[in-house]
Amino acid sequence: MAAREPKKHEMPTQKPEVRAHNFSEVALGYNEELALAEAQRCLGCKNKPCMQGCPVNIDIPEFISHIKQNDIEGAYSVISKSSSLPAVCGRVCPQESQCEHECTLGTKLNLEPVGIGRLERYVADQHRVNRTGTAEHPAPNGHKVAVIGSGPSGLTCAGDLAKKGFSVTVFEALHAAGGVLVYGIPEFRLPKSIVADEVKILEELGVEIVTNVIIGRTVTIDELFEQGYEAVFIGTGAGLPNFMNIPGESLCGVYSANEFLTRSNLMKSYLDNSATPIKKGGRVVVVGGGNVAMDAARTALRLGAEHVYIVYRRSFDELPARKEEVEHAKEEGIDFRILCNPVEIIGYHNENDPRDPKNGFVKAVKCIKMELGEPDEKGRRRPVEIVGSDFEIEADTVIMAIGTSPNPLIKDTTEGLEVNKRGGIVITENGLTSRSNVYACVDAVTGAATVISAMGAGKTAAKAIADALCGK
Amino acid sequence: MNKIIRKMPLNPTVTLMEIEAPLIAKKAEPGQFIIVRSHSDAERIPLTVADFDREKGSITIIFQIVGAATMRLNSLSAGECVESFVGPLGRATNTEGLRKTAVVGGGVGCAIAYPVTKKLFEQGTEVHVIAGFRTKDLVILEDEFRAHSSSFYAVSDDGSWGEEGLVTDALKKLIESGEKYDEVITIGPLIMMKFVCALTKQYGIKTIASMNPIMIDGTGMCGCCRLTVGGKTRFACVEGPEFDGHEIDFDEAIARSRMYASEEKKAREEACRLMKMGEEAKA
């Protein structure tokens, strides 16, 4: 047998200089030849270490063995047993720290791991193209469950329950289903047509999706129980965006990443004929180092910014974003200013002309350089300011991508729902809250998570709900 | 999709629409708002609930036709549907324990001041209403206010309706004449609310201002509607829209309300052009 290829097969992408000016998908996906070749790299380990690294426990060696035989529908049915959103996960999961991190090629043979995410994406995309007919509608088991929020956790929970015959209604506050997959993650990383297709498959399974209803306001959780729902899953997502509480954060031109991305993605501000405005062009400073910061920076670039900075207070090693996104951002020309933190946003103020239209808009960001000190409780080295090192970056737009805090809407309108000091809902490891038959996802608890961890939580809760309602 | 049951122009630039929304009508309270999107490609805009009918299952909104979004909303007729209609959002006005209040409304803000006035009056609170308009042609809801207030004071900029002057002049006169209010509630243009709050601060009268900043989702997710209140960042959509008027940074709110002034101007011109073309095509 020929020596195993040491590296993953590269996935074709749009050239950086081209894609920096369009919103089409960056990564183009494997073709059949590349997918079969990459599948051949899998050792098919009996102990399946990769599966342990997957938050939704997909039987990875099994689905790859189907690809080896070019049985793509077979591979799809293996994945779909565990994941309701394979086309999404193949694109947005941080595989390098999950399944691929555990791959024997990497851990034992010092080679690059199998490109599991790329193969998952290939399978899901082929299935989208080849699919005929509709998903089978399982026989109803007579139980009714309400899911709040149609993001990754809600869709996963709904999908898992629907496959078991539960009658599931998903309530969505916005006008489109998908949660962060539609308002947060940009088109160039996750085309919205893919999200729409995944949602359609769930509807074929019998999931009912009701948009424009805000649980806690339009209808309360107690009223859902009165309407005959036997269990409720809270998958309301991230919540209120954090700001730094530095001077100038309310100037015109300062956005939370949630706002900037929602305008562009959900409200389609990136299209010329969109009714919802967004500030385009100029110099843009994005604060933060997560996936959301990368998405905001790359969106700003595509909207026509002259120069986009990412300001992050730690070093490249601590950058929490998915590796591929950081690489893509660098290739596109995003200017990373690491070990650097904003201390003030300076506004434009024309003393001679109070009617100057630029008054009240951002002019610059004052930053201070940082160095890494002692490790904090999570083991990450704490950034410390270097006294006297402050400097200014000229800017027209500033985007704060520094996380979110729990949304108070549901806790304020649901009696007996225990919350922690930060306002996050308290849950057990099965996702159960202090109210019986009310379950919640982790990010309703902590304020933020990745798509896949939210899906994992949706899955855990679905199992717990099924066990509770049908008996173990 | 929510059906427009009734549409009525209140003056040349202000329209009333009664919209079928049984779930929202069941819950809505004075002070709360809804988010409406007239068409599938339209902007999401917040509008305060101007009235609700729990039995009929309807919500009334009153809006000024100021930009592209409100022009498109206004292009719909009774019997047609708005694409989405979400709510009720925000916190309801706290009316508990109020014995005597002054409600100060300006322009289309009077539409928002009306439901809380009605609620106060019906619960037995003595309510003095000061309504201000630029000129007589723009007056709305006069009969409704007169029917639901203990005293009604009309003021206009040009003196064509009621007394000539500003709402702050009328309020000052009432306070100076010895009226003792537990609370002043003010709803209207930012600049008017700023001066109402500055006035009542001098007299130490608690004042609630209803804010209407730019919003997108209306559920706390985007932070677009943030204001500085008492030195802290607050989100109008989940923590408001009403705040202690003496704590609000009005200058900042005024600056933020102009963030998209140039984009809005362009959109308005474009909407005008398209609507004109549509009318010409019909003719």
Side-chain angles (χ1 to χ4, degrees), chain B residues 173-248:
Chain B
K173 217 188 273 175
L174 287 167
I175 298 169
E176 291 282 328
S177 73
E179 299 287 1
K180 295 261 182 282
Y181 299 115
D182 299 337
E183 193 172 292
V184 170
I185 297 172
T186 181
I187 307 168
L190 287 168
I191 193 76
M192 180 202 93
M193 293 197 285
K194 175 184 168 175
F195 285 105
V196 168
C197 293
L199 176 73
T200 56
K201 197 168 182 177
Q202 289 170 28
Y203 295 96
I205 307 167
K206 185 180 172 192
T207 301
I208 297 296
S210 177
M211 306 298 280
N212 189 13
I214 304 171
M215 288 188 189
I216 307 176
D217 63 296
T219 63
M221 191 188 81
C222 82
C224 176
C225 66
R226 66 190 186 276
L227 304 159
T228 303
V229 183
K232 287 204 182 96
T233 298
R234 306 285 297 272
F235 290 180
C237 65
V238 287
E239 300 174 279
E242 295 176 353
F243 293 100
D244 180 340
H246 298 156
E247 301 273 326
I248 297 170

Side-chain angles (χ1 to χ4, degrees), chain A residues 110-127:
Chain A
N110 213 16
L111 306 176
E112 274 194 10
V114 174
I116 300 169
R118 295 171 185 184
L119 290 173
E120 182 185 24
R121 169 181 167 157
Y122 173 74
V123 170
D125 287 357
Q126 289 304 305
H127 175 74

Side-chain angles (χ1 to χ4, degrees), chain A residues 218 223 249 255-256 258 407, chain B residues 27 87 219 221-222 226 260:
Chain A
T218 321
E223 286 168 322
E249 270 182 311
Y255 289 94
S256 75
N258 269 8
N407 191 317
Chain B
K27 289 281 163 60
T219 63
M221 191 188 81
C222 82
R226 66 190 186 276
Y260 294 104

Side-chain angles (χ1 to χ4, degrees), chain A residues 182 187 192 261-276:
Chain A
V182 297
E187 183 75 19
K192 299 311 144 214
L261 291 170
T262 300
R263 283 180 183 271
S264 182
N265 300 330
L266 177 73
M267 305 312 295
K268 310 278 176 231
S269 303
Y270 71 90
L271 301 173
D272 283 340
N273 59 357
S274 169
T276 303

